[in-house]
Amino acid sequence: MADQTYEWTVVHSENKLPAAEREAILDAPVFGTKFTDHQVVVTWEQGKGWHSPSVIPYGPILMDPAAAVLHYGQEIFEGIKAYRHQDGSIWTFRPEMNALRLQKSAHRLALPEVPVEIFVESLRQLIAVDGDWVPQPVNEKTLYIRPFEIAAETFLGVRPAQRAEYRVIASPVGPYFTGGVKPVKIWIALDSARAGRHGTGEAKTGGNYAASLLAQSEGYDNGCSQVLFLDAESATYIEELGGMNLFFVYRDGHVATPWPRRHNLARYHP
Ligand SMILES: *Cc1c(COP(=O)(O)O)cnc(C)c1O
């Protein structure tokens, strides 16, 4: 239950992409390259809390070069899809769970937690103006929604920022595996770790990805399409792929889940 109701402001874009151009994009979407006509922005300030939830035209962020996020990486994000059903209606899958995961990430990165109510409403508000960007339900096409939060305070000191911004953008996407699911080659990173004990591995923060890119290019250079990280402590247990989870199903039907679940651990045998 909300102890506070938020009044949303909607500023419609005067520069919307013409329908024909939008349809051409929805015909053959390329992941993460084209964005809808609007974005959500909600601001948080120390002592004031979350305020001014708004939908505004999509466009660049005007930001001071001394904004904290640009220096110390206080940033977190989520990913969730909007699906169109055959009857034309638009759905997401249990968005409260993404809201809670964003809160967990916020806690770890010392950012303010976006209330679940604002998170869920932000998806509704964006879809209300950009619903035409949700593709028809063919060939696994969906609208990928990217909620994220950044430290927006202008300050070079090392401490949690006293001003933050929550934003939501969206981009039409096609199937993850084009041309069906085919086996892929995986590169095992032996001299690079993604997450250490009590580190930020469980938070969805950009820095984790930044730290994985070197090993990923090593993988690409060696003809692999994904990189696999081992546990940082012993470099023995299978941990996860650069951009997704993994688990093993053995011939006898048992399932091995990754470190650090400590349950049927999958071991790397050099
Ligand atoms: C987001 C993310 C995933 C995928 O999680 P979903 O629940 O599918 O969104 C897997 N691994 C990492 C490192 C991630 O950041």
Side-chain angles (χ1 to χ4, degrees):
M1 298 303 100
D3 10 82
Q4 192 184 350
T5 41
Y6 297 92
E7 285 289 325
W8 285 74
T9 305
V10 179
V11 181
H12 289 270
S13 170
E14 287 173 8
N15 235 335
K16 282 174 64 169
L17 202 66
E21 288 178 45
R22 183 183 66 237
E23 290 309 317
I25 292 169
L26 295 186
D27 235 29
V30 181
F31 184 86
T33 55
K34 301 284 191 219
F35 299 89
T36 64
D37 296 309
H38 298 86
Q39 62 181 317
V40 163
V41 55
V42 191
T43 304
W44 177 91
E45 284 168 275
Q46 180 96 52
K48 203 169 168 193
W50 290 102
H51 64 87
S52 317
S54 315
V55 177
I56 60 173
Y58 187 91
I61 299 176
L62 183 65
M63 182 175 273
D64 195 286
V69 64
L70 301 176
H71 302 270
Y72 309 122
Q74 228 190 333
E75 184 269 355
I76 54 173
F77 65 95
E78 267 302 319
I80 184 169
K81 285 173 169 177
Y83 305 85
R84 191 180 292 283
H85 283 194
Q86 291 298 342
D87 67 1
S89 59
I90 297 169
W91 298 78
T92 53
F93 178 61
R94 49 177 211 185
E96 322 72 45
M97 300 307 286
N98 292 79
L100 293 173
R101 187 168 67 178
L102 187 70
Q103 289 187 339
K104 269 184 66 185
S105 298
H107 177 73
R108 183 63 186 84
L109 272 287
L111 279 163
E113 293 176 17
V114 175
V116 174
E117 182 204 348
I118 289 186
F119 182 95
V120 174
E121 185 60 21
S122 71
L123 307 185
R124 276 202 204 97
Q125 292 282 339
L126 191 61
I127 293 298
V129 292
D130 284 340
D132 287 346
W133 284 86
V134 183
Q136 293 305 315
V138 290
N139 199 16
E140 293 174 48
K141 285 193 273 191
T142 61
L143 182 67
Y144 180 79
I145 304 175
R146 166 57 59 90
F148 64 104
E149 193 182 332
I150 54 176
E153 185 186 358
T154 303
F155 180 54
L156 286 187
V158 181
R159 60 144 170 73
Q162 296 180 356
R163 181 189 169 87
E165 278 181 11
Y166 166 70
R167 288 184 183 247
V168 188
I169 56 174
S171 169
V173 296
Y176 200 86
F177 295 103
T178 45
V181 179
K182 283 183 279 207
V184 291
K185 280 194 178 173
I186 305 288
W187 179 254
I188 301 176
L190 293 181
D191 47 14
S192 175
R194 184 187 170 278
R197 190 168 156 81
H198 301 316
T200 56
E202 270 198 281
K204 220 169 169 60
T205 179
N208 291 342
Y209 284 77
S212 75
L213 297 179
L214 182 62
Q216 185 182 297
S217 359
E218 225 175 71
Y220 287 161
D221 292 347
N222 286 277
C224 296
S225 56
Q226 275 285 332
V227 61
L228 175 90
F229 291 97
L230 302 172
D231 76 282
E233 247 164 277
S234 69
T236 304
Y237 295 105
I238 303 296
E239 197 180 63
E240 74 173 320
L241 297 178
M244 64 189 83
N245 208 336
L246 92 162
F247 60 92
F248 296 88
V249 182
Y250 289 85
R251 221 171 295 233
D252 69 4
H254 87 269
V255 172
T257 57
W259 179 268
R261 308 276 172 249
R262 296 176 195 275
H263 167 70
N264 284 337
L265 289 172
R267 215 176 158 134
Y268 167 63
H269 300 283

